[in-house]
Amino acid sequence: MNVLVTGGCGFIGSNLVKYLRRERPDWKIVNLDKLTYAGNLETLADLEGDPQHVFVRGDIGNRELVEHLLVQHSIDAVMHLAAESHVDRSILGPEIFVTTNVLGTQQLLEASRARGVKRFLMVSTDEVYGSLGPTGAFTEVSPLQPSSPYSASKTSSDLIALAYHHTFKMDVVVTRCSNNYGRYQFPEKLIPLMVVNALHDKPLPVYGDGANVRDWLHVEDHCQGLLVALEKGRAGEVYNIGGGSERRNIEIVKGILGLLNKPESLIQYVADRPGHDRRYAIDPAKIRAELGWKAKHTFEEGLADTVKWYVENRAWWERVTSGAYRQYFDTQYKTR
Ligand code: NAD
Ligand code: DAU
């Protein structure tokens, strides 16, 4: 089997490429990534010289390039993860979110249709459903009510992918998963940002009252869910993937400080994210019943392992947090 993974140098993509190399050693993985600020080829340094992993720097919106790769490598399936992924950035500058997530995805779908790709896995998000009240959980038939430019762009790409199934009979499967955490996450997202700031004894910026809830999923569990959906999912279906680990942001921040033996006085409440979704929770009953998938990691064990990894891999995040990231971070702070 030859698989095109898009965004394979990002957080989930790099974990997925490594996971596939371990779990499906005979597969060839072609990794198409533009290497934006979020893409880091160094993360895949241990795959250097691996003939089953081919890295190509390029844009999913470059149809000619994509079609060339699909033919050159006789690609059977596409796992589409490349995206602009950060909600705060989409508030500062929505345009690239539409360009990459909406237009880029459509070009990728069109190229895949033209070249007869047998299965297209669209990696979407639970943010398509918008925000929940204090109870209940998103199912695959919950209304789509995205709030941010990021989630609206992901909803668009998710629906375009489904439209390619309905209209052109393309074999498309969509997964919508909750907040991932784990190794190699760019330190702009809640967990790695808080770990890195705490290690520098810098303030930990908690938005609003810190009581927003996310449903955390270990990235390895997500990768397993993606593989199961790719291999066994039914064409035209949507599968929610969730960790069953709802936590308030402030609990997580305090947990990280506890693991690092740092004082809670580092916590700084800051202005809320505009349009901040209050709560996400996933009902994963469908993927469990149909495909037999279930999250294996507990949040406490996974968080401890992740924090330990950041402590032990300072060189990775120190390189990542230079340059463009720092510039972005300064802008973020000036606008709050
Ligand atoms: P990320 O920001 O860490 O990585 C995105 C990757 O895509 C980067 O390597 C980047 O270089 C690449 N990329 C961006 N634009 C590109 C383009 N035009 N062409 C080719 N490559 C491009 O993102 P992530 O957190 O790993 O998320 C991966 C996917 O999973 C995204 O589609 C995201 O919407 C989805 N998702 C993420 C989460 C989460 O918690 N992180 C949860 C649900 C869904
Ligand atoms: O739910 C899935 C989504 O999860 C993915 O689709 C997105 O790609 C991914 O970025 C993530 O979105 P969130 O907005 O939930 O993640 P983030 O880590 O940015 O924020 C998590 C929560 O923490 C959210 O309530 C905002 C809050 N937060 C975040 C940051 C960066 C803070 O309080 N302070 C911060 O500095």
Side-chain angles (χ1 to χ4, degrees), residues 126-155:
D126 62 356
E127 297 204 9
V128 301
Y129 301 118
S131 189
L132 283 168
T135 57
F138 301 127
T139 71
E140 289 79 359
V141 294
S142 296
L144 302 181
Q145 292 176 325
S147 325
S148 69
Y150 161 72
S151 50
S153 70
K154 288 295 293 186
T155 309

Side-chain angles (χ1 to χ4, degrees), residues 86-95 97 149 328 331-333 335:
H86 192 36
V87 173
D88 290 329
R89 285 180 188 263
S90 81
I91 296 168
L92 289 173
E95 190 176 341
F97 285 75
Y328 154 75
T331 325
Q332 256 313 84
Y333 258 92
T335 57

Side-chain angles (χ1 to χ4, degrees), residues 85-88 125-127 150 177-180 188-191 193-194 205-207 212 214 216 249 273 276-277 280:
S85 70
H86 192 36
V87 173
D88 290 329
T125 170
D126 62 356
E127 297 204 9
Y150 161 72
C177 82
S178 57
N179 285 62
N180 282 222
E188 63 184 352
K189 307 284 165 61
L190 181 75
I191 291 177
L193 177 79
M194 297 299 166
V206 173
Y207 298 166
N212 299 65
R214 296 292 183 265
W216 294 90
N249 294 339
R273 171 186 280 175
H276 197 174
D277 285 339
Y280 304 145

Side-chain angles (χ1 to χ4, degrees), residues 30-303:
V30 179
N31 172 3
L32 173 64
D33 196 298
K34 190 176 167 185
L35 296 182
T36 67
Y37 79 94
N40 185 355
L41 195 54
E42 266 182 39
T43 303
L44 294 172
D46 46 335
L47 294 185
E48 244 168 63
D50 178 347
Q52 298 294 96
H53 172 246
V54 179
F55 170 71
V56 179
R57 185 174 191 180
D59 195 317
I60 52 164
N62 182 344
R63 183 154 162 212
E64 204 182 321
L65 169 69
V66 175
E67 284 203 39
H68 171 75
L69 293 175
L70 296 177
V71 173
Q72 185 191 10
H73 297 285
S74 307
I75 295 295
D76 301 294
V78 173
M79 299 178 89
H80 177 36
L81 292 90
E84 289 293 333
S85 70
H86 192 36
V87 173
D88 290 329
R89 285 180 188 263
S90 81
I91 296 168
L92 289 173
E95 190 176 341
I96 186 70
F97 285 75
V98 175
T99 306
T100 293
N101 300 357
V102 185
L103 301 176
T105 298
Q106 190 270 330
Q107 288 299 312
L108 186 68
L109 280 160
E110 198 54 43
S112 303
R113 182 165 83 96
R115 296 298 173 175
V117 164
K118 296 190 196 84
R119 168 141 287 191
F120 189 102
L121 182 76
M122 169 72 212
V123 179
S124 187
T125 170
D126 62 356
E127 297 204 9
V128 301
Y129 301 118
S131 189
L132 283 168
T135 57
F138 301 127
T139 71
E140 289 79 359
V141 294
S142 296
L144 302 181
Q145 292 176 325
S147 325
S148 69
Y150 161 72
S151 50
S153 70
K154 288 295 293 186
T155 309
S156 306
S157 53
D158 171 320
L159 291 178
I160 293 168
L162 287 172
Y164 268 67
H165 170 74
H166 294 296
T167 309
F168 304 121
K169 308 297 169 221
M170 223 177 112
D171 185 320
V172 172
V173 173
V174 173
T175 56
R176 297 178 182 152
C177 82
S178 57
N179 285 62
N180 282 222
Y181 70 99
R183 302 170 179 201
Y184 301 109
Q185 188 169 29
F186 194 86
E188 63 184 352
K189 307 284 165 61
L190 181 75
I191 291 177
L193 177 79
M194 297 299 166
V195 174
V196 166
N197 279 17
L199 288 172
H200 283 311
D201 295 308
K202 278 168 53 180
L204 273 50
V206 173
Y207 298 166
D209 62 2
N212 299 65
V213 173
R214 296 292 183 265
D215 181 351
W216 294 90
L217 174 69
H218 195 282
V219 67
E220 288 268 332
D221 283 328
H222 186 200
C223 291
Q224 195 193 11
L226 294 178
L227 180 56
V228 163
L230 180 81
E231 291 186 323
K232 299 199 216 152
R234 282 184 296 134
E237 292 294 318
V238 174
Y239 296 93
N240 282 350
I241 308 182
S245 299
E246 283 185 59
R247 297 289 184 280
R248 287 183 304 138
N249 294 339
I250 191 67
E251 288 174 57
I252 294 180
V253 172
K254 287 185 178 171
I256 291 170
L257 288 171
L259 287 164
L260 292 172
N261 263 322
K262 296 283 184 177
E264 290 190 5
S265 56
L266 284 176
I267 295 173
Q268 192 175 76
Y269 288 93
V270 299
D272 208 354
R273 171 186 280 175
H276 197 174
D277 285 339
R278 191 64 173 169
R279 177 173 164 260
Y280 304 145
I282 281 269
D283 178 351
K286 181 175 172 182
I287 192 168
R288 191 182 307 150
E290 258 191 42
L291 310 182
W293 176 90
K294 192 171 176 289
K296 290 194 183 107
H297 291 80
T298 67
F299 183 69
E300 278 61 36
E301 163 248 316
L303 182 67

Side-chain angles (χ1 to χ4, degrees), residues 310-327:
Y310 277 86
V311 170
E312 289 171 356
N313 289 274
R314 223 181 159 104
W316 182 86
W317 56 260
E318 275 179 351
R319 280 198 290 276
V320 163
T321 50
S322 59
Y325 171 83
R326 204 172 289 277
Q327 226 175 358

